[in-house]
């Protein structure tokens, strides 16, 4: 039974070594592809080794109750050596292919978003701006035409009402704003009399 546990622990540690190697290659390829600054490399290395240690320790607890024996280190060494001897290049190519696929997918998603959302919004804004400018120009043009057409009528009306407006303006100048109600009524009566005398 003890031999079976040791063999199981050795196999688990070999798999852990292979997993550590694969995680290391994946982390290295991703960091190179994303061009992470040198200042973050020590931090990411520390995170990688912390996570790898915790995972190996968890696997060790699951396989032989956390007992650290020679075959534990032997299994890790065999697993890591086997990985870097046979699987490292394949793993690097797979991760690079995945990164390229994700990059193309992201580019396609951005282009689709621009095509379906951004460009229609920009086009609608430009059309609205052009339409608004056209309407403003047309409104100003029509307003000028209407003013020019109404000018003769305005001159005619001002010529007709000029005899009435001038006495009213003179009366308003004389009345000011300090008259009471009786004085205001008297002024209105006087104004009406002046209009009648002017017509006769």
């Amino acid at each position: 039974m003890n031999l079976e546990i040791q063999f199981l622990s050795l196999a688990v540690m070999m798999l852990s070594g292979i997993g550590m190697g694969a995680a290391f290659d994946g982390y290295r390829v991703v960091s190179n592809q994303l061009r992470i600054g040198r200042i973050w490399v020590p931090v990411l290395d520390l995170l990688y080794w912390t996570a790898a240690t915790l995972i190996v320790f968890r696997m060790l607890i699951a396989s032989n109750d956390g007992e650290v024996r020679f075959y534990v280190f032997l299994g890790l060494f065999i697993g890591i050596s086997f990985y870097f001897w046979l699987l490292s290049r394949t793993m690097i190519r797979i991760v690079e292919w995945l990164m390229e696929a994700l990059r193309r997918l992201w580019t396609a998603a951005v282009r689709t978003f621009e095509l379906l959302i951004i460009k229609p919004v920009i086009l609608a804004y430009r059309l609205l701006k052009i339409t608004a400018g056209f309407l403003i120009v047309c409104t100003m043009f029509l307003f000028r035409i209407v003013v020019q057409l109404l000018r003769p009528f305005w001159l005619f009306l001002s010529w007709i009402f000029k005899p009435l407006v001038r006495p009213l303006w003179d009366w308003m100048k004389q009345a000011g704003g300090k008259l009471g109600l009786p004085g205001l009524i008297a002024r209105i009566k006087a104004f009406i009399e002046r209009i009648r005398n002017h017509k006769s």
Side-chain angles (χ1 to χ4, degrees), residues 33-50:
Q33 291 287 334
L34 297 180
R35 297 179 181 178
I36 297 175
R38 293 182 178 180
I39 190 172
W40 295 104
V41 172
V43 177
L44 294 176
D45 286 343
L46 179 62
L47 291 175
Y48 165 76
W49 286 111
T50 302

Side-chain angles (χ1 to χ4, degrees), residues 10 13-14 69-79:
L10 181 64
M13 289 301 103
M14 289 176 61
R69 300 298 177 95
F70 173 73
Y71 56 82
V72 172
F73 298 102
L74 180 62
L76 285 174
F77 179 76
I78 293 173

Side-chain angles (χ1 to χ4, degrees), residues 4 30 44 62 81 92 112 126 135 160 184 198:
E4 293 179 358
V30 171
L44 294 176
S81 300
I92 290 173
T112 303
R126 289 178 179 175
L135 290 176
I160 291 177
L184 182 61
H198 182 75

Side-chain angles (χ1 to χ4, degrees), residues 63 77 141 161 175:
S63 61
F77 179 76
F141 179 72
F161 289 103

